[in-house]
Amino acid sequence: MSEGQKKKRRKKHYLLRLIIIAVIIAAAGAAMHLSCFDVDGVAVIGNEDIPDDEILHLSGVETGKSIFDVHPLIVKHRVKKNLYIEDVNVVRKFPDKVEIRVGEKKGNAQFIMGKKYVVTDNEGRVIDISDEEMPVTLVENIKLSEAAVGDSPVVKEKENLDKTLEFIKMTDENDLFFKKLKVEKNNVEAHIYDELVCVGKYGDLESCIMSGTLKSVVYDLYQKGIEKGRISVYKNDYCFFTP
């Protein structure tokens, strides 16, 4: 066989491979849009406060559209436009189901700005500005001058703000909740109820919380139905309750 014939044969084989690849791609494209791959159900999992409808609307996933048109990364980006959503995982369950698993971001603290309540997360970013008080710790002694959703609030007492947010984060990690809080320099005044307050030095309270001692005292008062009085916290995790 001459060299010219060999070249023609290789060219034919190359063209044949291109045709086969093109046919496969066309067949795959057609198969991807068969009705059996149309999205028939979208499940939203893990949300507690954010309605399913809002997450579905943000996702852009529609029933009746091909499951291959659902791109997990794009859906994730869309859903996270809601600042109360921290984590998103999108799973395509072939042939026709989609799961959107979300982890919600919880409010960490709230501050008063004029007649508004500004809610921040654990990182100190504003996630909501509300006309009504929210069920998170109210910081009474820090006033905000500016706040915008998605940004850190503007305050004069930046160091005190950071210290306060760190304190609230610590209490949350140790399964304690304070309704109202004042952190001024090294002194803390934390309300468990409106008339049951815990006071002490920042370092003493931190130690008492981390050791679990304060939690035990609060739980004991709860068991006894006591919602009024003063818990004074001192060094070495010593707590003294005054009715």
Side-chain angles (χ1 to χ4, degrees):
M1 183 182 292
S2 67
E3 187 63 31
Q5 289 175 323
K6 289 180 180 180
K7 286 182 178 180
K8 285 182 180 180
R9 177 169 291 184
R10 284 197 297 268
K11 187 174 181 180
K12 286 180 179 179
H13 288 168
Y14 177 72
L15 290 173
L16 181 60
R17 284 197 295 269
L18 285 179
I19 292 170
I20 292 172
I21 291 170
V23 170
I24 292 172
I25 292 173
M32 286 168 60
H33 289 85
L34 291 174
S35 60
C36 64
F37 292 117
D38 290 347
V39 176
D40 185 50
V42 184
V44 179
I45 301 170
N47 54 316
E48 295 179 5
D49 299 322
I50 304 170
D52 289 359
D53 289 347
E54 181 173 344
I55 295 172
L56 289 172
H57 175 71
L58 287 170
S59 74
V61 179
E62 299 178 23
T63 57
K65 298 292 183 66
S66 173
I67 196 171
F68 293 101
D69 292 333
V70 177
H71 302 286
L73 288 178
I74 294 176
V75 174
K76 178 178 179 178
H77 177 73
R78 288 171 177 166
V79 173
K80 289 194 75 172
K81 287 181 180 179
N82 184 313
L83 294 179
Y84 269 105
I85 295 176
E86 189 165 23
D87 300 306
V88 182
N89 184 33
V90 181
V91 180
R92 295 184 295 185
K93 291 185 170 290
F94 291 93
D96 59 0
K97 298 291 188 291
V98 176
E99 278 187 3
I100 303 175
R101 296 179 176 270
V102 301
E104 294 179 339
K105 185 180 293 185
K106 301 297 183 183
N108 170 276
Q110 64 183 325
F111 305 82
I112 295 174
M113 186 177 69
K115 295 183 178 180
K116 301 286 187 179
Y117 292 90
V118 178
V119 182
T120 61
D121 62 14
N122 280 334
E123 285 72 45
R125 289 190 298 268
V126 177
I127 58 175
D128 197 9
I129 300 176
S130 174
D131 292 326
E132 299 179 357
E133 186 173 344
M134 306 297 283
V136 295
T137 301
L138 174 63
V139 180
E140 295 188 305
N141 62 309
I142 297 178
K143 305 301 179 185
L144 309 186
S145 52
E146 291 181 37
V149 173
D151 297 331
S152 297
V154 178
V155 297
K156 292 182 179 179
E157 315 95 331
K158 181 64 169 61
E159 184 177 347
N160 202 26
L161 172 65
D162 292 341
K163 199 171 186 179
T164 300
L165 293 176
E166 187 62 33
F167 184 86
I168 296 173
K169 184 178 180 180
M170 176 187 62
T171 61
D172 182 58
E173 290 172 349
N174 287 274
D175 199 25
L176 271 175
F177 173 76
F178 293 113
K179 186 175 181 180
K180 294 183 290 186
L181 179 67
K182 289 182 183 178
V183 178
E184 296 179 307
K185 294 183 178 179
N186 197 36
N187 298 309
V188 177
E189 180 181 307
H191 286 258
I192 300 162
Y193 303 111
D194 288 329
E195 297 184 271
L196 180 58
V197 61
C198 182
V199 297
K201 298 295 184 182
Y202 189 100
D204 295 340
L205 267 166
E206 180 180 36
S207 174
C208 203
I209 290 170
M210 296 292 288
S211 70
T213 303
L214 183 58
K215 182 179 176 180
S216 296
V217 172
V218 171
Y219 183 71
D220 182 60
L221 293 174
Y222 169 77
Q223 290 285 84
K224 295 175 180 177
I226 297 174
E227 298 184 4
K228 185 176 181 179
R230 179 186 180 96
I231 304 171
S232 298
V233 178
Y234 302 98
K235 291 182 179 179
N236 301 318
D237 299 342
Y238 177 71
C239 299
F240 182 76
F241 173 68
T242 306

